[in-house]
Amino acid sequence: MFYDFRLIAWLSEKVARVFAGKIVEGDHHEPDESDWSWETDLEETSLQLPPEFVARFFAVLSKLFDRGFGPPQIEIIENLTSKLQFGQTRQLNFNPGRKGKPVTLQILLCRLNPETFTVGIRSTPAMVKAIDGLIAHFQASNENED
């Protein structure tokens, strides 16, 4: 499934102005097209997550990195998602490492549905391929639990 994150970000901002106030977070800012697409060689993927699976998904995602994306970053994401109201979108930029090399990791969190979050992830093509495999495995394991 493919999402146009620029359209989602634009729509969510329009909805956010009507339905929700701004979240005041020092380390977070409203995404715009220039933030989300500043590197042209990145690819993107996305998934829908209920709130109770957000921390677990990012804990699994953290295993792809050697450094720079672990419990402190997951705590930031959990804190942000707990405050994210319907119609709001936030972007987080991380620079974790994998095999000794820095990796760009951009995460877009959208609360376009009261019951789920849309999570968009942009990174290098190789990382997106690995993340897509992780997403498929994560979704399959969660379906088996139900």
Side-chain angles (χ1 to χ4, degrees), residues 7 19 28 32 34 38 56 62 77 83 87 106 113 122:
L7 177 61
F19 293 108
H28 310 298
D32 64 21
S34 63
W38 65 274
R56 186 167 24 165
S62 72
I77 293 169
K83 295 176 183 177
Q106 297 176 338
N113 178 328
R122 290 188 83 214

Side-chain angles (χ1 to χ4, degrees), residues 1-6 8 44-48 118-119:
M1 182 178 282
F2 177 76
Y3 292 94
D4 182 355
F5 290 108
R6 291 174 287 215
I8 290 172
E44 58 190 48
T45 189
S46 65
L47 74 154
Q48 300 283 324
T118 299
V119 178

Side-chain angles (χ1 to χ4, degrees), residues 101-118:
K101 295 182 182 179
V103 177
T104 297
L105 180 66
Q106 297 176 338
I107 298 173
L108 186 70
L109 300 168
C110 301
R111 188 82 184 249
L112 300 178
N113 178 328
E115 292 85 32
T116 61
F117 289 97
T118 299

Side-chain angles (χ1 to χ4, degrees), residues 70-110:
Q73 291 77 20
I74 294 169
E75 186 176 333
I76 290 169
I77 293 169
E78 282 183 287
N79 183 36
L80 184 60
T81 56
S82 70
K83 295 176 183 177
L84 204 61
Q85 297 176 6
F86 177 69
Q88 291 183 316
T89 301
R90 296 295 181 270
Q91 178 181 325
L92 300 152
N93 295 314
F94 299 103
N95 290 303
R98 179 173 169 91
K99 298 181 181 179
K101 295 182 182 179
V103 177
T104 297
L105 180 66
Q106 297 176 338
I107 298 173
L108 186 70
L109 300 168
C110 301

